[in-house]
Amino acid sequence: MSHGSEGPRPFRLIPVIDLRHGRVVRARAGERDAYAPIDTPLARGSKPADIARGLLEAVGGNRLYVADLDAIMDGTDPDRASLEAVARACPGVTLWVDAGFSDLSGLERFVRSGLGHPVIGSESQRDAALVRALGDRAVLSLDSRGEARLGPDALHDDAETWPQEVIVMTLARVGTGTGPDLLGISRAVALGENRRIYAAGGVRGPEDVARLREAGAAGALVASAIHNGRLR
């Protein structure tokens, strides 16, 4: 993979918060109905702004991934109050927001709000139209649960539909400490050519980060390994 005269891009650690009913919850294995409010040494309570600030202070960086579970699961509008609170608490940080976007009008409305950079989850799509329409204005999340790929096969198989930044989201590994999906990452890196591929789910610590680097990943979305101190 060539990056021209820029040299290799740095590996990005992108902290993650999962929102449910205005609080940050602890994600585990993609069983969203069972997620409970988070308990972490990084902050008191489970307010989104406090957790976001604690995560970013722990690992640095200027991106934060936000999964709005109410919007993803129930089809509600994005949690504007929580997103605004996080943005105020973390100035200069770009929010990657997955709010179950499935139609162009709703997604365009979110883009105009200026609350973050939208993430289009394959699990919420019927076809590749929305991903094609947004192009590089969005991040694509290729979602899977176990061996099952979620959403249209075209999104998983046809890299021509992919924007420049793509997440390989293995929901069954989230919060389980079972290690990242190195095979899935390697496949996406090969298929995506010069696109930036990010791992999500199962990252345990520095050893996994090293393996992901070797596999060609541009970064990883992480929560548990930051909360438990393995990645700081």
Side-chain angles (χ1 to χ4, degrees):
M1 186 186 304
S2 173
H3 300 296
S5 61
E6 297 177 4
R9 295 187 181 97
F11 188 93
R12 287 182 180 270
L13 280 181
I14 302 178
V16 173
I17 61 173
D18 291 270
L19 300 180
R20 187 79 164 136
H21 307 316
R23 297 284 174 173
V24 177
V25 294
R26 172 79 77 170
R28 183 173 174 81
E31 301 297 333
R32 292 166 175 155
D33 284 326
Y35 290 0
I38 200 162
D39 182 14
T40 174
L42 300 181
R44 295 180 63 180
S46 56
K47 290 183 178 179
D50 296 338
I51 303 299
R53 190 188 298 110
L55 286 166
L56 287 161
E57 287 175 352
V59 297
N62 60 358
R63 294 186 190 179
L64 177 77
Y65 176 94
V66 182
D68 185 336
L69 300 181
D70 297 311
I72 293 170
M73 297 168 64
D74 306 328
T76 60
D77 289 334
D79 183 350
R80 187 181 185 101
S82 291
L83 294 173
E84 289 176 342
V86 170
R88 285 194 301 271
C90 307
V93 172
T94 298
L95 305 184
W96 281 8
V97 180
D98 185 348
F101 301 113
S102 60
D103 67 89
L104 186 57
S105 62
L107 202 152
E108 293 277 17
R109 191 163 58 249
F110 176 79
V111 171
R112 288 194 300 271
S113 76
L115 288 173
H117 197 61
V119 175
I120 301 177
S122 67
E123 68 171 318
S124 302
Q125 308 310 303
R126 296 182 297 276
D127 53 40
L130 193 59
V131 175
R132 289 186 184 278
L134 264 290
D136 291 338
R137 291 188 294 156
V139 177
L140 171 63
S141 180
L142 297 173
D143 306 322
S144 65
R145 190 184 301 277
E147 297 300 314
R149 302 190 304 184
L150 305 180
D153 285 338
L155 284 178
H156 292 269
D157 294 331
D158 182 7
E160 289 297 315
T161 65
W162 296 0
Q164 279 300 303
E165 296 186 293
V166 179
I167 299 165
V168 175
M169 175 72 71
T170 51
L171 288 165
R173 295 174 184 253
V174 169
T176 63
T178 52
D181 179 12
L182 293 171
L183 190 62
I185 288 293
S186 297
R187 175 185 176 276
V189 168
L191 196 61
E193 297 179 345
N194 67 338
R195 290 170 177 83
R196 294 184 288 280
I197 308 299
Y198 299 85
V203 176
R204 296 164 291 194
E207 300 86 354
D208 285 333
V209 167
R211 294 186 186 100
L212 288 167
R213 283 180 185 271
E214 291 172 6
L221 277 59
V222 185
S224 295
I226 304 174
H227 290 297
N228 66 26
R230 291 296 312 283
L231 284 173
R232 291 288 173 90

